[in-house]
Amino acid sequence: MAEKVSVLIIGSGPAGYSAAIYAARAGLKPVLYQGMQPGGQLTTTNDVENYPGYPKGITGPEMMEDFKAQAERFGTDIRYGMITSVELNSGGVHKAIVDEEHEIETEAVIISTGASAKWLGLEAEQRLNGSGVSACAVCDGFFYRGLDVAVVGAGDTAAEEATYLAKLCKKVHLIVRRDEMRASLIMQNRVKATPNIEIHWNSVTEDILGKTEVEGVRIKNTITNEINDVAVKGFFVAIGHKPNTDIFKNQLILDNAGYIVTEKGSTRTNIEGVFAAGDAQDNIYRQAVTSAGTGCMAALDAERYLAAKESHVMV
Ligand code: NDP
């Protein structure tokens, strides 16, 4: 038989836990499923220095433990497990399946499933993941102090990762597929002014070299077709993120990149009783503090939705 819960929160990043804190304090007894990566993307970062309230900074994992403890303090039921499918019924009872077996019924769902790093799709990328291949310079850059590394990508993330790594590493090879970068001008200028960053324009990664650990990268210039093997010990992929919204396809309205579309100024989706917060619906700001803010909004939206439903039933 299905378990009935009043508010189901899917995901455990800053958005999910903030929604949980607000929903729990409102007496809604939320149930939160942590998903594949408890704590979300911040658990793969090191120091967080821009989250207000931590003047000395804090590590991502510690911060997420604080979020979790605060959500638990007010009675959130925090559980391990993945929501593997949903059946969303506008204005009615929504169903969710946990780990393909346990069924949950709820009138309000808050989706805070976040986003995941994109990969190039090379075989070596997965084989050498954790052995030189990474999608997080701040997490893994430390291991490559004094060594040569490569970063692929040309957006703000790639620019940020390259300048971060340049402080630790001997040389950073930035592999850019076009003849210009997408990153903001200030970040581009910073990259270009850093003497130990070499930009490889019009270049794509043909392969990552090395059997058991990264030893180099094979780069192809798409104008000249010239192939060049560059010795590096670390290979950082910074080509953007993909929102974790696959299970909501064909039910919720998603934009072209898969981000959940919410009504302007709210967290309401196209399905009544379903709210979205954090990186699953935000392709622009993607910050811990903005995620937490939208998590709070989602809990308030859910609370008001449930209150309006209840008074409607009573009439
Ligand atoms: P973006 O989508 O902005 O950029 C992705 C980059 O990766 C693009 O330059 C793209 O190339 C390149 N790319 C994509 N696929 C491939 C591929 N297969 N091979 C090679 N290159 C590829 O993602 P970001 O993560 O950089 O940024 C996302 C958002 O977050 C942006 O809005 C950004 O401004 C913001 N952000 C802000 C920061 C800050 O303000 N401090 C820091 C980090 C992110 P192409 O340009 O050719 O399409």
Side-chain angles (χ1 to χ4, degrees), residues 50-68:
N50 53 8
Y51 197 92
Y54 292 102
K56 295 187 179 133
I58 183 165
T59 69
E62 276 176 313
M63 187 163 99
M64 294 325 295
E65 277 307 310
D66 283 353
F67 269 62
K68 179 169 178 262

Side-chain angles (χ1 to χ4, degrees), residues 119-120 152-158 160 175 177-178 180-183 187 238-241 283-287:
W119 297 99
L120 293 170
V152 58
D156 279 326
T157 303
E160 211 169 68
I175 305 168
R177 68 178 173 183
R178 292 187 291 134
E180 60 177 351
M181 291 182 72
R182 182 187 292 269
M187 294 298 289
I239 60 169
H241 288 78
N283 191 18
I284 299 169
Y285 303 104
R286 301 176 50 244
Q287 299 300 301

Side-chain angles (χ1 to χ4, degrees), residues 201 232 246 272:
W201 299 104
V232 293
D246 285 353
E272 269 186 64

Side-chain angles (χ1 to χ4, degrees), residues 208-228:
I208 305 162
L209 309 174
K211 274 205 168 74
T212 53
E213 57 182 38
V214 171
E215 286 165 11
V217 56
R218 181 160 296 157
I219 300 171
K220 179 179 166 187
N221 183 302
T222 54
I223 306 288
T224 62
N225 284 333
E226 192 187 323
I227 293 199
N228 191 7

Side-chain angles (χ1 to χ4, degrees), residues 199-260:
I199 306 179
H200 298 257
W201 299 104
N202 300 305
S203 295
V204 293
T205 306
E206 285 279 284
D207 204 358
I208 305 162
L209 309 174
K211 274 205 168 74
T212 53
E213 57 182 38
V214 171
E215 286 165 11
V217 56
R218 181 160 296 157
I219 300 171
K220 179 179 166 187
N221 183 302
T222 54
I223 306 288
T224 62
N225 284 333
E226 192 187 323
I227 293 199
N228 191 7
D229 286 355
V230 178
V232 293
K233 286 291 186 189
F235 182 81
F236 292 84
V237 181
I239 60 169
H241 288 78
K242 179 185 178 301
N244 302 320
T245 55
D246 285 353
I247 61 166
F248 308 108
K249 257 185 212 162
N250 306 324
Q251 299 189 64
L252 291 180
I253 296 176
L254 309 179
D255 70 10
N256 289 340
Y259 289 86
I260 298 170

